[in-house]
């Protein structure tokens, strides 16, 4: 199997690629994550994933060519607001307070560059997550676990946040940060086989 460049520092995405036995190298993209106003919220994650791929493509030395570059971006959306990664405990509390007792969308955008095709394909996965109502005491307990660090929306579905999640409509791997079906389908479309 050819190695893939993963344009992300996410340990969860690395774990999923390892589980799939896909060889990869991490190159952290150097790009801002501002979203233009004319990009619909549902397409914002795809837009950022593509930016990450483009940033890594530009950063590679011209004499080094990697056949595959994968970018991903996960965001939590409720209404017209994006909940990114909280900066501190106070913001994590604010995010979870807003999400508790409601359903929100988790959208992961994928971008896969094939050097053979000189083409970037895009895909998004959407999962609806419903939180039970949470007391301030429960929110503070969760925040004190430190799971909110580096997590969109301030929680990790694969951790203790599952104590408060009543319903998931869609795939769990999407909420973790790398939707496995969509990734597999994109790779298959571009003749990259993991069945070796």
């Amino acid at each position: 199997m050819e190695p893939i460049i993963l344009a992300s520092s996410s340990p969860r995405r690395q774990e999923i690629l390892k589980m799939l036995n896909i060889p990869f190298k991490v190159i952290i993209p150097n790009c801002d994550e501002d979203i233009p106003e004319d990009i619909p919220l549902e397409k914002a994650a795809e837009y950022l994933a593509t930016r990450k791929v483009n940033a890594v493509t530009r950063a590679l030395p011209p004499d080094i060519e990697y056949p595959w570059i994968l970018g991903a971006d996960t965001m939590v959306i409720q209404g017209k607001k994006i909940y990114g990664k909280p900066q501190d405990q106070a913001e994590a509390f604010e995010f979870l307070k807003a999400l508790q007792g409601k359903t929100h969308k988790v959208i992961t955008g994928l971008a896969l560059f094939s050097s053979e095709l000189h083409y970037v394909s895009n895909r998004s996965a959407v999962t609806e997550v419903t939180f039970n109502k949470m007391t301030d005491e429960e929110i503070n307990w969760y925040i004190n676990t430190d799971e909110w660090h580096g997590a969109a929306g301030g929680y990790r579905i694969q951790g203790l946040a599952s104590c408060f999640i009543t319903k998931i409509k869609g795939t769990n791997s999407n909420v973790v940060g790398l939707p496995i079906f969509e990734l597999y389908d994109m790779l298959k479309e571009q003749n990259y086989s993991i069945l070796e």
Side-chain angles (χ1 to χ4, degrees):
M1 247 185 282
E2 291 179 305
I4 286 178
I5 288 181
L6 176 62
S8 169
S9 61
S10 164
R12 264 61 55 194
R13 292 184 183 127
Q14 293 174 39
E15 285 165 15
I16 289 172
L17 290 180
K18 284 177 190 168
M19 182 192 74
L20 295 170
N21 290 318
I22 296 173
F24 67 93
K25 175 184 178 181
V26 172
I27 297 181
I28 299 169
N30 182 15
C31 63
D32 70 67
E33 297 195 10
D34 293 333
I35 302 162
E37 288 181 19
D38 61 337
I39 301 279
L41 281 186
E42 288 73 22
K43 290 291 180 186
E46 258 182 51
Y47 170 82
L48 291 178
T50 304
R51 283 196 63 127
K52 291 175 181 181
V53 166
N54 291 338
V56 167
T57 305
R58 285 192 305 272
L60 286 172
D63 56 328
I64 294 178
E65 188 171 293
Y66 256 82
W68 307 93
I69 302 172
L70 174 66
D73 193 85
T74 302
M75 51 184 56
V76 169
I77 297 174
Q78 187 178 62
K80 297 195 179 299
K81 182 168 179 179
I82 295 173
Y83 293 84
K85 297 171 184 172
Q87 298 300 309
D88 52 33
Q89 284 193 338
E91 191 168 43
F93 183 91
E94 179 191 319
F95 285 6
L96 290 172
K97 186 83 170 170
L99 297 175
Q100 63 86 29
K102 297 175 187 158
T103 299
H104 61 269
K105 288 181 182 176
V106 180
I107 301 177
T108 299
L110 297 176
L112 180 66
F113 172 75
S114 162
S115 65
E116 185 182 325
L117 300 174
H118 291 285
Y119 174 72
V120 177
S121 60
N122 296 93
R123 192 81 56 94
S124 285
V126 181
T127 300
E128 292 183 359
V129 178
T130 304
F131 266 97
N132 194 23
K133 288 188 175 178
M134 298 166 72
T135 64
D136 287 359
E137 182 184 13
E138 287 172 323
I139 294 171
N140 281 319
W141 171 81
Y142 181 71
I143 288 168
N144 286 328
T145 68
D146 285 339
E147 278 188 2
W148 60 270
H149 282 285
Y155 72 92
R156 294 194 194 287
I157 198 167
Q158 70 275 30
L160 292 169
S162 55
C163 291
F164 308 109
I165 293 170
T166 61
K167 188 176 172 187
I168 300 168
K169 186 178 175 187
T171 65
N172 195 60
S173 62
N174 174 43
V175 186
V176 173
L178 193 59
I180 294 171
F181 170 76
E182 284 76 7
L183 173 63
Y184 176 70
D185 204 42
M186 288 172 81
L187 291 168
K188 196 166 69 168
E189 256 180 19
Q190 297 198 25
N191 298 317
Y192 184 103
S193 177
I194 68 168
L195 310 178
E196 292 178 13

